[in-house]
Amino acid sequence: MILSPYFYSQAIKLALSQIWANRKRSLLTALGIIVGVASTTSVIAALSGLKTSVLTEFESFGANRIYVFPDRPDDKPRNLYPREKIRIKPWEVRELQASCPSLRAITPVTEFGVSIASDERELDGITVVGIWPDWHEAENRRVISGRKFNGIDEVGERQVCLLNESAIDELRLPSDAVGSHILVDGRRFLVVGVIETLQARMFGGDSNTAELFIPFSVAIKLQSTEFFLRVVALAKSAEVSEEAKSEIQRTMRRIRGIQPGDPDTFRAEAIDRYIDQFKTLASGITAIAAGIVGISLLVGGIGIMNIMLVSVSERTREIGLRKAVGATPAAIMMQFLLEAMVLCLAGGLVGVIIGKLFAIGLTLIPGARLENADVPMWAVFLSFAFSAAVGLGFGFFPALKASRLDPIEALRHE
Amino acid sequence: MIRVRQMKKIYRVGEEEIRALRGVDLHVGKNEMIAVMGASGSGKSTLMNIIGCLDKPTEGSYELDGHDVSKMSEASLALVRNEKIGFVFQSFELLARQTALENVELPLIYSREAGLTSRERTRRALHALNRVRLADRVSHRPNQLSGGQKQRVAIARAILNKPAILMADEPTGNLDSVTTTEIMEIFRQLHAEGQTVLIVTHENEVAAYCQRVIRLRDGLVLSDLPVAQDQAGQVIA
Ligand SMILES: Nc1ncnc2c1ncn2[C@@H]1O[C@H](COP(=O)(O)OP(=O)(O)OP(=O)(O)O)[C@@H](O)[C@H]1O
Ligand SMILES: [Mg+2]
């Protein structure tokens, strides 16, 4: 039995006029759907806004940055991998620099605690960081006055340093500290530049700690021979960051002579990993929101079923008449299914509109990092799909009941 | 056109069996106009519903336009009702929220004819309304129409698909005598234009418009006579 396009247009028209004629009742009935769709789309909007700002954050953080650490395989005995064996050595970093064409910049970073002093003050246990000049590019840290490190500082093992503003404060140095001298572990260092303070970021990076940087070549002389270092590298672009990571892995395995099948004794990690973790978290929240919508749609669906049963019994005579003039059971069934679906879709539409308005409201909250909150297209489609499915699912039983009415009995109904 | 043989209809209400039809034989030829009469409960409506394909007989055969209808599926019966049968009810059965024109167009929603333009639908509905002389009430809703006008809309709806048979179960039962005449004139006109008509009635004035009168009693045909003889018999009785 094929129903004509005219049938469908009339059925939808009838459904709309039914909803309009009983608008209060329809509104109350669709409330479950409206609330469900509105709350879920709002949550999704908030999440998508958060995601956009977090991703932009990561982007400025450097999505193409790669870190390399020494790493002891978890499942192997400790004594097989002593500290000295897994420790990254400066020559390994130079080898990486030479062998990884996808890298734009690479630097070892070594940190150790010393006491430092100015004419005014002495501070204990300050973390000093030894770096190559490439560090400026790899970590994207600019100097706000003075100059960056250069190759001569490194090769000449010059006793120069960079400070951030809180280090200047703590040492009571003049605010333009360039040209001052400080003592690091008893040696005289010239302040050549002031490094910009890290902006407060959502993840990591405490801006208020004092930071002190010295050339790497100088830093290793101030430490024991078994000093520890990590590597910060920057891929040429985000697109080649995966490639850069595997270049690093290949090179490290080669120079450490790791046999195929043996585990890595180091770990190379791109910032993407953290993005992935955030995405996992966000999709977890989305799933929970979907669960909530599931429950409210179930509740809404029961309301729909109830109202459709009422509608069928109210319109029993009409159903009888339609059958008498030639409506098949399938046509009656389809008409009531469409009616339930139109009701649910109307509820879904109202819900989506409320969700959209809510999303606009979110963008206006100052400091909430939700400037980009919006209901994504897929959530709109999904809301409609869910609403239609609820109409279909919960409208089925009433529609079946209508389709099975006996025309004569239906026409005799009061 | 219509051939009914040994038709029985038994209703079961709990333990009880109600024999509404107990073996009816009937033949209706093309372009006949027949009245079905009989006391209340004699089975007139039951017979009409089965002939109108709204119900199925318990036993017996029913042939409509050369097809055995008594064993058809629900969906096929719906199609037969749509294409071959026009039914007029005592209480009009118009859809309250729709205009006269929309009410008349109703059977086209369920029509097998695909691709009817809205213009063609309107044309047919207007033609049907014209035949019941109601072309001036096209966009009125049922509550803006008199009883006789409502029944004329119902008749227009029944004749829309040019049915093989036009059936009416007490079409004038809710109408006064002036309006009854008005409605019967329309049936007479349709009959004159070639329509086969079957009318259930309690009123001799209504039967007088027909050519043949079938009287039922307790689910059986009591008499089946030309109208003149039937009316004469009634006068004697
Ligand atoms: N659905 C049903 N269930 C049980 N019995 C029924 C049913 N429909 C009709 N009957 C019985 O069948 C018999 C015939 O009923 P029917 O309606 O055909 O009579 P009728 O001649 O049309 O009467 P009226 O002139 O009052 O309309 C009656 O005894 C009635 O009670
Ligand atoms: Mg009756």
Side-chain angles (χ1 to χ4, degrees), chain B residues 40-41 43-46 90 169-170 200 202:
Chain B
S40 188
K44 306 181 294 293
S45 294
T46 306
Q90 182 173 352
D169 194 345
E170 301 187 43
V200 170
H202 286 288

Side-chain angles (χ1 to χ4, degrees), chain A residues 4 6-7 10 13-14 17-18 21 317-318 321-329 331 335 406-408 411, chain B residues 49 54-55 74-75 78-79 81-82 89 91 93-95 97-98 102 105-111 121 157:
Chain A
S4 64
Y6 180 54
F7 165 82
Q10 287 301 109
K13 203 172 125 189
L14 181 72
S17 80
Q18 280 294 331
R317 276 182 90 96
E318 179 194 321
L321 172 76
R322 287 178 183 273
K323 288 197 153 188
V325 300
T328 55
Q335 184 191 321
D406 179 74
I408 302 161
L411 278 166
Chain B
N49 289 338
L54 288 167
D55 206 350
E74 264 242 53
L79 204 63
R81 292 198 291 272
N82 187 251
F89 304 91
S91 45
E93 307 296 346
L94 301 179
L95 298 180
R97 274 202 289 273
Q98 312 226 321
E102 288 167 336
E105 282 181 349
L106 190 68
L108 290 177
I109 293 179
Y110 306 105
S111 167
R121 287 192 296 268
R157 180 179 65 197

Side-chain angles (χ1 to χ4, degrees), chain B residues 199-214:
Chain B
I199 300 177
V200 170
T201 183
H202 286 288
E203 300 162 72
N204 282 327
E205 309 86 86
V206 170
Y209 282 87
C210 303
Q211 310 154 313
R212 203 177 129 192
V213 180
I214 295 168

Side-chain angles (χ1 to χ4, degrees), chain A residues 334-394:
Chain A
M334 183 56 84
Q335 184 191 321
F336 279 88
L337 276 182
L338 281 172
E339 204 165 311
M341 278 164 71
V342 167
L343 183 57
C344 288
L345 283 172
L349 179 67
V350 174
V352 166
I353 291 171
I354 294 174
K356 280 260 184 202
L357 293 176
F358 199 80
I360 293 171
L362 285 177
T363 62
L364 302 177
I365 302 174
R369 291 175 174 274
L370 294 170
E371 304 76 26
N372 296 304
D374 191 17
V375 182
M377 224 40 211
W378 64 262
V380 174
F381 281 124
L382 210 63
S383 300
F384 286 132
F386 261 110
S387 308
V390 167
L392 205 63
F394 289 87

Side-chain angles (χ1 to χ4, degrees), chain A residues 221-299:
Chain A
K221 290 203 299 187
L222 297 180
Q223 293 186 75
S224 70
T225 49
E226 267 213 13
F227 68 91
F228 181 86
L229 72 79
R230 62 190 162 91
V231 178
V232 179
L234 189 73
K236 282 188 169 141
S237 67
E239 288 80 66
V240 300
S241 86
E242 270 308 306
E243 175 59 24
K245 198 170 126 182
S246 48
E247 281 170 10
I248 290 172
Q249 276 163 335
R250 274 200 304 272
T251 308
M252 285 297 284
R253 287 183 72 91
R254 175 171 57 75
I255 61 183
R256 290 189 164 192
I258 300 172
Q259 297 301 313
D262 283 352
D264 288 346
T265 52
F266 61 91
R267 195 152 53 112
E269 237 169 53
I271 199 94
D272 306 18
R273 214 182 111 100
Y274 300 101
I275 297 179
D276 287 345
Q277 273 173 8
F278 174 76
K279 282 182 177 164
T280 312
L281 180 74
S283 47
I285 299 173
T286 310
I288 292 167
I292 295 167
V293 86
I295 292 165
S296 51
L297 288 185
L298 187 77
V299 173

Side-chain angles (χ1 to χ4, degrees), chain B residues 125-137:
Chain B
L126 283 175
H127 179 67
L129 280 167
N130 237 340
R131 290 177 74 191
V132 299
R133 296 181 220 119
L134 209 60
D136 54 342
R137 292 288 187 278

